[in-house]
Amino acid sequence: MTEPKTNTLEVPSGILYYDVREAEASGAPILLMIGSPMDASGFTDLAGRFGDRTVVTYDPRGIGRSKRTDGAVESTPEQHADDLHQLITVLGGGPVDIFASSGGAVNGLALVARHPEQVRTLVAHEPPAAQQLPDREQALAAVADIRRTYEREGFGPAMAKFIAVTSLRGEIPADFADQAVPSPADLGMPTEDDGSRDDPLFGQNIMTCTHYEHDFEALRAATTRVVVGVGAESEGEMAYRAGVAVAERLGTEPVIFPSHHGGFLDGEFGMKGEPDAFAVTLRGILAE
């Protein structure tokens, strides 16, 4: 695998930055690794474990190096899917394989529903598809409370509530908004509000991602092989439960990946997973 080459792509109301790690004489499809709000930097170690394949990573609109030029406050899964469609077109049209993490898994599912011909296999790891949960009303209300906290108090308090929700095992209580959570300081988060409201997670994607209604009829009819993954250590957490629910709607069983929601990370963003074992599981799925 060569060193990554950075490119840009103009899309409606935005400019995307993407990196291509080209493998010589590889007969396998391009492997696209996507996240949200995670940018390309989060896939550096995982990409390095697929040196026999051409790997492409990118920064979603409004995240990392990529820019939005429309002045919009939020980005939607539909917009991300259209961006991915144009990126795959520039890369040759596909079909590509995709590993999609978290919000990227939501966007990947939206892409397959719209353009299944561009994707051979989608591995959707722990999509936070809250609409599919049996406790969807409580989950969506908790997300809305996080967003209100961000708008009112800023990043630190919102992140404290986000961690409380995403690490909770089992159904989310209806009175979540009234429950005490750790202070931002106890979690190493900033306590002062810097006044900004453009955080990629809380400002741009948290509401649109979790509230997105997936087109399961289109997904079931797609030529794409869709595999839902969940982490062995995250059983009971919201993204795990949502992944199980999505797999059920697709008529499949989720694949258990090593570690947790960020199991492919090797210490990036302060999260240590099991990247070697994670890559082995992913490689096995893509080889089937």
Side-chain angles (χ1 to χ4, degrees):
M1 178 183 286
T2 62
E3 290 296 313
K5 295 181 180 178
T6 299
N7 304 270
T8 60
L9 171 64
E10 290 192 20
V11 294
S13 68
I15 300 174
L16 304 180
Y17 279 71
Y18 65 98
D19 304 310
V20 179
R21 296 168 172 84
E22 192 166 356
E24 296 181 2
S26 174
I30 289 172
L31 175 55
L32 180 58
M33 297 180 177
I34 64 175
S36 180
M38 183 178 288
D39 61 23
S41 65
F43 297 100
T44 301
D45 284 295
L46 185 61
R49 288 167 168 82
F50 286 84
D52 57 328
R53 299 185 60 155
T54 294
V55 177
V56 176
T57 57
Y58 94 121
D59 294 353
R61 62 170 53 222
I63 300 174
R65 302 160 295 177
S66 294
K67 310 298 181 185
R68 292 183 309 177
T69 58
D70 57 358
V73 175
E74 293 184 321
S75 300
T76 67
E78 292 94 340
Q79 287 178 310
H80 290 304
D82 288 344
D83 289 347
L84 289 164
H85 165 60
Q86 295 194 54
L87 175 57
I88 295 170
T89 299
V90 167
L91 294 172
V96 301
D97 287 340
I98 298 180
F99 170 70
S101 167
S102 193
V106 170
N107 300 337
L109 290 164
L111 169 68
V112 168
R114 293 166 171 245
H115 301 284
E117 75 285 351
Q118 288 193 312
V119 186
R120 185 185 73 157
T121 298
L122 168 67
V123 181
H125 186 253
E126 296 204 355
Q131 288 279 16
Q132 306 312 313
L133 294 171
D135 53 326
R136 64 179 60 84
E137 290 186 8
Q138 301 100 289
L140 295 173
V143 171
D145 177 63
I146 293 170
R147 177 60 177 269
R148 287 193 298 271
T149 300
Y150 175 67
E151 293 174 342
R152 184 176 62 246
E153 303 176 45
F155 177 84
M159 181 56 77
K161 285 195 172 183
F162 177 79
I163 292 173
V165 169
T166 56
S167 61
L168 178 69
R169 296 182 187 271
E171 292 194 358
I172 297 172
D175 63 346
F176 167 79
D178 299 322
Q179 294 189 2
V181 298
S183 71
D186 291 341
L187 298 171
M189 301 294 169
T191 57
E192 294 187 6
D193 183 359
D194 66 2
S196 66
R197 294 296 183 269
D198 57 355
D199 181 76
L201 172 60
F202 300 124
Q204 295 182 42
N205 291 291
I206 192 169
M207 293 293 290
T208 56
C209 176
T210 55
H211 286 63
Y212 183 66
E213 291 277 11
H214 289 278
D215 187 344
F216 286 101
E217 183 176 352
L219 288 168
R220 288 191 293 267
T223 54
T224 304
R225 175 173 169 246
V226 178
V227 178
V228 179
V230 292
E233 297 175 16
S234 51
E235 184 174 0
E237 295 175 356
M238 188 180 78
Y240 179 106
R241 295 191 299 117
V244 172
V246 168
E248 183 177 353
R249 291 292 302 273
L250 294 174
T252 64
E253 292 290 330
V255 173
I256 306 298
F257 275 78
S259 197
H260 45 65
H261 189 67
F264 56 92
L265 295 171
D266 197 14
E268 300 93 332
F269 314 112
M271 297 181 70
K272 177 66 175 177
E274 298 178 33
D276 287 332
F278 196 101
V280 169
T281 301
L282 177 57
R283 186 179 289 277
I285 293 171
L286 297 176
E288 292 178 6

